[in-house]
Each structure stands twice: as C-alpha cells, then as structure tokens.
Amino acid sequence: MSRLSIRSLPLVAVATLVACASPQERCVMNATEDLRVVNALIDETEANIDRGYAIEEELEPRVGLNVCTGRRGSFAFCTGTDFDTRERPVALDLAEEERKLASLIEKRQELEVRARRDIAACEAAT
C-alpha cells in the first residue's frame, strides 16, 4: 500500500468535498480548478526561490514479510512491497525559477478573470 504524501492531501480533501457538494458548488469547484493549481504552483515556486533549491519526492520500495490468510482460513508468511516517500534536494536555476514565477503570476491574472466569469455563469444557472 502506498502512502499519501502531504502534498496530495489537499487533492483528497477537494475530491471529498466535490462528492458531497451541490451542483452549484461542483460548478464553482470546476470553474476554479485551474486557478487553484496555478496558485499551488506559485506557492511551490516561491518556496523554491526562498530556499534556493527544490525538493523532489521519490518513492522508495520496501519489501517486508507479512502474515497472510489463505483459503479456508489458513495462515502463511508472504512478502509484500510497500513504498516510503523520501524527499531529496534538487539544484535549481534560480533565474529560470524567477521567470517561471512571473509567468505563473501572469497566468493567474488571466485565470482569475475566467474564474469570475465562470462562477457568475454557475450562479446564473441556479
């Protein structure tokens, strides 16, 4: 069984909320999805610039011995693979990160306009 990374928790929370949301709330969530993604990328890029390096997550397999149940309730030893998440620093071209950040901020402005328009359409539909 793989573990959820901390970065994936917001996505799980959004998916859970969408499942319980009204049609208008789902419409608004869909209308703002790209904006939320770009905002998360801006946060990550700013953190990378502040830190001076990026952090990549990589999955590290771990094989273990488990007790498994078989047919008719029998028990046996079996092996299973689990994955741990390991973070490692990665060098960055800070000038490129600055350019990427400027581009993301420009894109966010465009997406904010689109999100406002789409949210108004969601509200008008109900």
Side-chain angles (χ1 to χ4, degrees), residues 4-19 29 33 36-37 40:
L4 290 174
S5 73
I6 291 175
R7 291 182 183 163
S8 65
L9 290 177
L11 296 175
V12 172
V14 168
T16 302
L17 289 173
V18 168
M29 294 289 285
E33 181 178 6
R36 287 191 313 274
V37 169

Side-chain angles (χ1 to χ4, degrees), residues 9-79:
L9 290 177
L11 296 175
V12 172
V14 168
T16 302
L17 289 173
V18 168
C20 300
S22 70
Q24 181 179 4
E25 290 167 331
R26 282 193 298 272
C27 183
V28 170
M29 294 289 285
N30 288 336
T32 59
E33 181 178 6
D34 291 339
L35 182 58
R36 287 191 313 274
V37 169
V38 167
N39 280 331
L41 290 171
I42 288 171
D43 291 344
E44 181 179 355
T45 304
E46 288 175 335
N48 289 345
I49 292 168
D50 290 344
R51 226 182 356 257
Y53 60 91
I55 296 176
E56 280 189 1
E57 290 184 350
E58 52 187 30
L59 293 178
E60 185 174 276
R62 184 172 36 94
V63 178
L65 187 62
N66 299 310
V67 176
C68 300
T69 56
R71 294 184 197 169
R72 300 185 188 131
S74 65
F75 293 95
F77 288 103
C78 57
T79 58

Side-chain angles (χ1 to χ4, degrees), residues 86-116:
R86 171 186 273 182
E87 292 182 346
R88 66 180 189 89
V90 177
L92 291 175
D93 177 344
L94 293 176
E96 177 62 30
E97 286 295 295
E98 291 283 354
R99 287 189 293 276
K100 180 170 77 171
L101 179 59
S103 175
L104 286 167
I105 289 171
E106 186 177 315
K107 185 65 174 177
R108 177 173 57 189
Q109 293 169 345
E110 175 187 318
L111 291 172
E112 285 172 343
V113 170
R114 188 176 83 190
R116 281 194 293 277

